[in-house]
């Protein structure tokens, strides 16, 4: 990713010596990132294939660590009985089918090498009190955790681990869009929505992208070799 949790993770991985290639939909925002990059639509099979092939070319070898951080939020969604089928499909294609395609692309080389680390960015909405008016988001993130567990089972004998981070509210552009939509629906301000979100946490603040990125880094490290098939909440003790 070229912003938010994705950029925070990319910077952290580079600081720790990893060769990093980032992927986003638009090239304009990637050019100034300072990273090797591929512009691709990760909601399509062709886009995912192009992303992996481009990353291999950029990095000069097979991919040992895959971080599936891309996603679409719930700002565009409505209550289930009003849900547009195309909106539902967009959530599924982006949040769970795209990660499957990416994983399918990298797994053969990981199996051959008998090594790999795969980390998915899901959400607390996957397992706990789901957001209202977010059927596509809630369902796709739960599905992503199911994919993660399947990869952990199939990759285990080849030393390929698979885990998910489940962030709570993080101040990102995607979360800002949902705050704007919620504020408009409730007739209040985005600032007030963020205050309400922060109030859910014992520390009375939401999370930073860097806090999530450090958890991703751990799950991609040698030190996490005994951790696989896990959904790790990064939620500051928030009930959901």
């Amino acid at each position: 990713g070229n912003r938010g949790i994705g950029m925070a993770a990319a910077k952290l991985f580079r600081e720790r010596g990893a060769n990093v290639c980032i992927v986003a939909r638009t090239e304009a925002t990637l050019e100034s990132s300072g990273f090797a990059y591929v512009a691709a639509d990760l909601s399509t099979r062709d886009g995912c294939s192009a992303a992996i092939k481009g990353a291999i070319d950029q990095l000069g070898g097979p991919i040992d660590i895959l971080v599936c951080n891309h996603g679409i939020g719930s700002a565009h969604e409505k209550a289930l009985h009003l849900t547009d089928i195309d909106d539902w499909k967009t959530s599924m294609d982006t949040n769970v089918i795209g990660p499957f395609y990416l994983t399918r692309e990298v797994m053969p080389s990981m199996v051959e090498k008998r090594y790999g680390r795969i980390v998915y960015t899901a959400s607390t909405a996957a397992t706990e009190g789901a957001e209202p008016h977010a059927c596509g988001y809630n369902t796709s993130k739960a599905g992503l955790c199911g994919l993660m567990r399947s990869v952990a089972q199939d990759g285990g004998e080849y030393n390929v681990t698979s885990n998910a981070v489940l962030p709570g509210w993080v101040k990102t552009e995607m979360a800002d869009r949902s705050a704007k939509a919620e504020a408009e629906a409730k007739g209040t301000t985005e600032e007030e929505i963020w205050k309400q979100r922060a109030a859910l946490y014992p520390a009375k603040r939401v999370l930073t992208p860097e806090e999530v990125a450090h958890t991703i880094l751990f799950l991609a490290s040698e030190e996490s070799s005994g951790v696989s098939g896990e959904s790790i909440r990064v939620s500051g003790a928030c009930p959901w």
Side-chain angles (χ1 to χ4, degrees):
N2 65 327
R3 55 183 181 265
I5 294 170
M7 181 54 70
K11 290 178 178 178
L12 194 55
F13 274 76
R14 183 167 62 184
E15 287 174 6
R16 303 302 171 89
N19 293 322
V20 179
C21 181
I22 64 174
V23 181
R25 193 185 299 261
T26 57
E27 187 166 0
T29 54
L30 290 165
E31 288 177 331
S32 61
S33 68
F35 288 92
Y37 68 84
V38 179
D41 181 355
L42 298 181
S43 68
T44 70
R45 183 174 184 175
D46 287 347
C48 290
S49 180
I52 296 302
K53 290 176 181 175
I56 291 171
D57 289 343
Q58 291 274 4
L59 299 175
I63 294 170
D64 295 326
I65 300 168
L66 173 68
V67 178
C68 290
N69 176 73
H70 74 281
I72 187 171
S74 60
H76 64 290
E77 295 198 58
K78 301 179 178 66
L80 190 144
H81 63 285
L82 301 173
T83 295
D84 182 272
I85 300 303
D86 287 337
D87 287 344
W88 164 268
K89 188 174 184 301
T90 296
S91 294
M92 295 299 129
D93 287 345
T94 305
N95 290 349
V96 65
I97 296 177
F100 165 77
Y101 289 146
L102 293 168
T103 305
R104 179 63 180 83
E105 289 279 344
V106 302
M107 278 288 283
S109 64
M110 290 182 175
V111 167
E112 182 179 359
K113 192 174 182 178
R114 303 189 69 85
Y115 182 85
R117 297 284 184 268
I118 301 176
V119 186
Y120 303 94
T121 301
S123 167
T124 52
T127 58
E128 305 295 338
E131 295 180 59
H133 300 176
C135 180
Y137 183 78
N138 297 332
T139 305
S140 61
K141 290 299 187 179
L144 184 60
C145 289
L147 171 65
M148 174 273 294
R149 291 191 294 272
S150 295
V151 174
Q153 290 296 319
D154 291 344
E157 66 178 293
Y158 304 104
N159 194 31
V160 177
T161 66
S162 169
N163 294 283
V165 293
L166 279 61
W169 284 118
V170 183
K171 198 74 167 63
T172 63
E173 288 185 24
M174 186 170 75
D176 277 335
R177 286 193 292 273
S178 73
K180 181 179 180 180
E182 186 175 350
E184 290 174 352
K186 293 181 176 179
T188 186
T189 64
E190 295 174 50
E191 290 77 12
E192 180 58 30
I193 295 299
W194 277 111
K195 287 180 182 178
Q196 293 172 11
R197 292 173 176 180
L200 297 169
Y201 294 81
K204 304 307 176 188
R205 68 171 182 86
V206 297
L207 301 163
T208 68
E210 289 73 20
E211 288 172 317
V212 182
H214 275 282
T215 306
I216 293 172
L217 180 72
F218 167 70
L219 293 173
S221 71
E222 289 297 314
E223 289 78 9
S224 70
S225 58
V227 182
S228 193
E230 299 296 333
S231 298
I232 309 295
R233 291 169 57 93
V234 187
S235 60
C238 179
W240 78 276

